[in-house]
Amino acid sequence: MPRIAPRPPGVVLHTVDLTEHTRLLGEVAPALEKLSAEAARIRKGEIAKPVREIAPLSLRVHELAMQCTRQVHDLSVSQYPAMKDGADNLAHLAGACAQISLAATLCNLAVHHRTEILLYEDAGATPATSRDQLRRAGVEMQRAATTYRTVARRLSRRLASFSERAEDRHLIAEAQGSSPQKAPSTPPAPAARRRV
């Protein structure tokens, strides 16, 4: 039996264009791979100008993390969690968003550790720490890319199948019908007064 995410009372289930969301999900993995390759390219260099070399990468990763988080939010208040495996896929996407955010933070740390050489006499003269942080950022982006590719493929297959679309329509209808019943409009009759 597919798991249906419980919806708190008062939460409206919005209908979104899942074909468009599938397209957007499919664009994330190639973008992450491109950013990961950029991190690898910077890592191989001297990183002599860390702000100029790493900050543009960090900004692009942060922007992608924000876009992905916004999409996860939009999907979470839509019909998607009511669909078969929708809640589980949404949880995987939320985890991937965290990995992208972590990659952006690692890029910022790579800038910071490389600029320490300008501030402290005992700082490491080589960019080994920054290179390691860029390597870790690349790993996080690759993991997130794998998740996005998998979820996009699953959703695309479900939307392409007539029987699976019918199953999802049924699950969505059930989720919409499971909202709490309205209270009766007329107040109940007062209880009979007990004589002492």
Side-chain angles (χ1 to χ4, degrees):
M1 186 74 181
R3 192 176 80 163
I4 298 174
R7 303 198 70 80
V11 173
V12 179
L13 192 138
H14 300 284
T15 302
V16 296
D17 181 354
L18 290 175
T19 303
E20 176 63 10
H21 274 283
T22 303
R23 183 186 69 77
L24 294 171
L25 289 170
E27 289 177 353
V28 174
L32 285 168
E33 285 167 352
K34 187 175 177 185
L35 291 167
S36 181
E38 177 69 7
R41 186 193 63 74
I42 295 167
R43 195 174 81 239
K44 289 176 185 169
E46 289 301 312
I47 318 181
K49 295 181 170 62
V51 177
R52 191 181 300 173
E53 293 177 49
I54 305 172
L57 169 66
S58 178
L59 286 169
R60 292 200 306 276
V61 180
H62 272 293
E63 286 167 4
L64 184 59
M66 290 296 293
Q67 290 170 16
C68 291
T69 303
R70 191 173 298 113
Q71 184 182 26
V72 166
H73 170 265
D74 291 347
L75 287 171
S76 74
V77 296
S78 75
Q79 75 271 32
Y80 185 57
M83 293 166 56
K84 186 179 178 183
D85 300 325
D88 290 335
N89 288 333
L90 198 57
H92 289 301
L93 289 176
C97 285
Q99 289 172 318
I100 300 168
S101 294
L102 175 57
T105 300
L106 287 165
C107 289
N108 283 348
L109 284 171
V111 172
H112 168 69
H113 283 106
R114 189 60 182 131
T115 54
E116 280 187 344
I117 188 72
L118 306 173
L119 303 173
Y120 309 110
E121 284 182 24
D122 60 344
T126 63
T129 304
S130 294
R131 283 183 178 143
D132 185 57
Q133 285 159 339
L134 288 170
R135 180 194 61 76
R136 289 172 56 206
V139 168
E140 295 298 334
M141 286 188 275
Q142 289 293 340
R143 287 178 181 161
T146 300
T147 300
Y148 266 88
R149 189 175 289 106
T150 301
V151 172
R153 197 177 299 125
R154 284 179 192 161
L155 183 54
S156 179
R157 275 199 306 259
R158 268 200 97 63
L159 294 177
S161 166
F162 178 80
S163 60
E164 290 180 358
R165 281 201 326 270
E167 180 186 17
D168 286 333
R169 277 196 299 273
H170 176 71
L171 291 170
I172 291 163
E174 276 185 0
Q176 287 174 324
S178 64
S179 56
Q181 297 291 327
K182 285 188 176 180
S185 55
T186 56
R193 205 180 268 180
R194 208 168 145 194
R195 293 196 172 191
V196 181

